[in-house]
Amino acid sequence: MNRKNFLKSTFASAFALVGLKSLGFANNGKPNFANVTLAETMQDSAPFTLGALPYAVDALEPHIDKLTMEIHHDRHHKAYVDNLNKALAGTPMEKLSLFELLKDAGKYPAAVRNNAGGHWNHTFFWNCMSPKGGGNPTGKLNDDLIKTFGSLDKFKDEFSKAGVGRFGSGWAWLIVEDKKLVITSSANQVNPLMDVAEKKGTPILGLDVWEHAYYLKYQNKRADYIKAFWNVINWEAVSKNYEAALK
Ligand code: MN3
């Protein structure tokens, strides 16, 4: 299977399992991201829409504060969606799916790359957190994290280091590469699905380490924000992403 088909099949299964409660549609008849699977968002094409968060803006308090969530979702994520639509309007790229825009990101203008990444990364990130999150993973994910990194604490240390060590703005990721768990990070809105990523693979966990994700509550203390993130991490979603990525 070539890389393109591998990613396609991985995604078709990987995200079919995440998040679907009931299918909802925004006013314009397009799917509302809060209520559709990430697989469906990958197949979506312009004009893109900003869906609601999968929980209330204050649901992750006190770990991620309400004002940060409001600004992050309603302004930052919205800006990625709006700017992506602007960059695509009237071009042949309008017909491409979000998945196609990401996997060949290096072929497209920076505005497309940055905003397609921003849109997908945030949609993915919201689903990596839950008001019922925290605790420990279970099952195969738990076993394989321990096998790969030595212990759950060692995994958390390494993931945190990837986030803290990412200079400037970017993301920390746990990905599946050749059926193995790998920690990586990326700059700006690049993600491991993109041809331009330093490390490619299927993301199963992503953490936004841009200052806008934590500055109001944690100021310059990115490490404290990452420590707090473990209290809201949605292990159930990560597990489902993992199981699907291995198929
Ligand atoms: Mn962000």
Side-chain angles (χ1 to χ4, degrees):
M1 192 184 285
N2 67 23
R3 167 153 203 94
K4 181 176 162 184
N5 287 334
F6 167 75
L7 280 176
K8 253 190 187 157
S9 68
T10 299
F11 262 93
S13 53
F15 295 117
L17 292 162
V18 179
L20 182 60
K21 288 254 164 64
S22 62
L23 199 61
F25 290 88
N27 291 337
N28 59 1
K30 289 178 66 75
N32 177 337
F33 273 2
N35 298 316
V36 299
T37 63
L38 280 164
E40 287 169 287
T41 73
M42 295 296 278
Q43 289 152 21
D44 197 11
S45 57
F48 293 95
T49 53
L50 176 71
L53 285 167
Y55 34 73
V57 281
D58 60 355
L60 304 180
E61 289 266 12
H63 310 293
I64 313 284
D65 61 289
K66 181 184 175 196
L67 185 59
T68 295
M69 287 302 290
E70 274 174 358
I71 294 173
H72 200 173
H73 175 268
D74 300 356
R75 299 194 208 166
H76 290 280
H77 189 173
K78 183 177 189 299
Y80 296 121
V81 172
D82 291 347
N83 290 329
L84 177 59
N85 287 333
K86 265 183 223 162
L88 298 172
T91 77
M93 296 177 290
E94 258 183 330
K95 299 215 167 25
L96 299 176
S97 67
L98 185 54
F99 177 77
E100 290 170 315
L101 292 171
L102 294 173
K103 77 177 172 59
D104 298 322
K107 289 206 291 201
Y108 304 122
V112 171
R113 192 162 64 238
N114 291 338
N115 292 298
H119 179 37
W120 188 83
N121 293 350
H122 286 84
T123 305
F124 185 72
F125 178 51
W126 307 137
N127 283 288
C128 287
M129 299 188 287
S130 165
K132 293 179 190 148
N136 292 338
T138 54
K140 183 166 174 56
L141 175 62
N142 187 54
D143 296 347
D144 290 354
L145 283 171
I146 292 168
K147 253 186 248 165
T148 307
F149 299 100
S151 69
L152 189 62
D153 282 342
K154 282 187 186 159
F155 159 70
K156 287 183 177 178
D157 280 351
E158 289 202 26
F159 187 86
S160 303
K161 269 188 221 159
V164 170
R166 169 50 61 181
F167 182 77
S169 298
W171 292 76
W173 303 98
L174 177 63
I175 63 171
V176 174
E177 184 202 27
D178 298 331
K179 308 226 172 218
K180 291 195 182 70
L181 290 166
V182 177
I183 291 169
T184 184
S185 71
S186 62
N188 302 315
Q189 296 297 356
V190 172
N191 69 45
L193 297 169
M194 293 183 178
D195 54 352
V196 294
E198 290 163 33
K199 188 83 180 165
K200 295 186 203 65
T202 304
I204 64 167
L205 169 67
L207 174 63
D208 189 340
V209 296
W210 283 56
E211 281 190 345
H212 69 223
Y214 62 86
Y215 204 86
L216 290 178
K217 186 175 171 81
Y218 297 98
Q219 294 81 47
N220 60 321
K221 298 179 291 260
R222 187 187 283 182
D224 289 0
Y225 156 70
I226 297 177
K227 205 172 159 194
F229 170 72
W230 300 116
N231 294 308
V232 295
I233 182 173
N234 186 351
W235 283 119
E236 203 182 319
V238 181
S239 254
K240 284 177 180 172
N241 292 342
Y242 182 47
E243 283 162 29
L246 290 176
K247 278 179 189 160

